[in-house]
Amino acid sequence: MLGNLGPVHLIILLVIIILLFGAPKLPGMARSLGQSMRIFKSEVDGLKNDSKKNNEANGGTNGSVVSGEVINNPTTDQNKGSQN
């Protein structure tokens, strides 16, 4: 949908925004938007760093892939025999 916006559409959109919010308020709004985006970016980077630290602490795996052999649980086998 946004890919179909041409330069004329963007100019009309900019004029409508200026009329709605007024020219004096726009710099403050842009400043707060930029600050919010910086905070969001730093939080995302922090989550990525935490994920990397956890990944390194777990031996380089994220816990989703486990290699090994499945064995029968001896207590479960004994309980099945006693129930009959």
Side-chain angles (χ1 to χ4, degrees):
M1 180 176 167
L2 293 177
N4 296 334
L5 291 178
V8 175
H9 295 104
L10 293 176
I11 291 172
I12 293 172
L13 186 63
L14 182 63
V15 169
I16 291 172
I17 290 173
I18 290 174
L19 289 175
L20 285 176
F21 296 107
K25 291 184 181 179
L26 289 178
M29 290 173 57
R31 191 176 304 114
S32 65
L33 179 65
Q35 184 179 12
S36 298
M37 293 198 54
R38 275 193 302 271
I39 292 171
F40 181 75
K41 184 176 184 270
S42 68
E43 291 295 326
V44 168
D45 289 341
L47 288 174
K48 286 181 182 177
N49 290 338
D50 288 346
S51 176
K52 286 180 183 177
K53 287 179 185 176
N54 287 340
N55 200 8
E56 290 171 1
N58 290 335
T61 63
N62 60 5
S64 62
V65 178
V66 178
S67 62
E69 183 179 330
V70 177
I71 59 170
N72 290 334
N73 188 353
T75 58
T76 306
D77 291 340
Q78 291 173 359
N79 290 339
K80 285 181 184 177
S82 63
Q83 289 176 354
N84 291 337

